[in-house]
Amino acid sequence: MTDAEASAAFDCIKDDLVAAYVKSGVELSGKYQGWNRYSTVPYLSDAHGLRYVHNYTNDTGSAYGKYEDAGDMPPGTLAIKESFVLSSDGRIGVGPLFVMEKHAPGTFPDRRDWFYSMIMPNGAVQDAKAIQKFCNDCHIIAGDEDDNLMFLPD
Ligand code: HEC
């Protein structure tokens, strides 16, 4: 998809994304689209299963917008990535909501105090130990310098 097509696809599906995620009962699902958004158009994220994504944070995490100069994010930061998929026959569908929540210093020392989760299109929440490892094994590459954050493509 071109940027214009990806934006048009997002306009069609953005309410369906929220409708899917709120089934989880997780409060942020109904709120995050009103938060700070950093991506200007949905972009294809290889690392998250070749889905189109937008990136958001809550106000606590607004330093995210300084990207590599952001420093350590404060506890209470929620970094969110919503996603949608384009199938080979041209249909668009809901993908998972990817969530990183920053906890108090020392809570999860092996992952810089981030808790990772996915809210699936059917509202199921995946946040088991294996998910923590799966997400962190890649995000840790960004490491201490960027507080495990990968930011956006230029
Ligand atoms: C193979 C590497 C990889 C894996 C695995 C991965 N991510 Fe990411 N993540 C990235 C990259 C690269 C970016 C930034 C660019 C992009 O969106 O593709 C990113 C960005 C994010 C962001 C926006 C905050 C930031 O880092 O800038 C969130 C939220 C996120 N990922 C959540 C998750 C969750 C939750 C999981 C596990 C279910 C996960 N990621 C698994 C590589 C990965």
Side-chain angles (χ1 to χ4, degrees):
M1 282 196 280
T2 63
D3 285 353
E5 287 167 343
S7 293
F10 176 69
D11 284 343
C12 287
I13 203 164
K14 64 180 185 194
D15 294 341
D16 295 344
L17 297 178
V18 171
Y21 306 143
V22 294
K23 286 187 275 179
S24 66
V26 178
E27 205 188 339
L28 62 84
S29 309
K31 293 187 171 170
Y32 74 89
Q33 281 186 354
W35 293 353
N36 311 290
R37 195 175 81 192
Y38 303 95
S39 37
T40 48
V41 292
Y43 62 95
L44 200 54
S45 176
D46 219 347
H48 303 89
L50 268 184
R51 297 173 174 110
Y52 285 85
V53 302
H54 262 314
N55 284 26
Y56 304 79
T57 70
N58 58 0
D59 280 342
T60 308
S62 62
Y64 186 89
K66 297 189 210 158
Y67 305 109
E68 280 79 358
D69 295 326
D72 288 355
M73 302 303 274
T77 293
L78 286 162
I80 309 282
K81 193 189 276 288
E82 68 189 344
S83 74
F84 62 93
V85 288
L86 175 68
S87 63
S88 51
D89 60 2
R91 283 178 302 165
I92 50 172
V94 177
L97 187 73
F98 297 87
V99 181
M100 292 173 65
E101 181 174 7
K102 187 77 164 188
H103 286 252
T107 312
F108 310 117
D110 54 332
R111 38 193 153 96
R112 298 192 57 79
D113 307 309
W114 288 107
F115 187 81
Y116 300 89
S117 59
M118 276 189 292
I119 299 178
M120 306 309 285
N122 65 1
V125 179
Q126 294 195 3
D127 60 3
K129 218 171 157 186
I131 294 289
Q132 304 307 314
K133 178 168 165 35
F134 170 73
C135 308
N136 195 58
D137 278 355
C138 191
H139 274 261
I140 198 92
I141 296 167
D144 292 354
E145 197 180 323
D146 287 330
D147 199 16
N148 280 16
L149 294 171
M150 297 280 197
F151 305 114
L152 322 187
D154 292 343

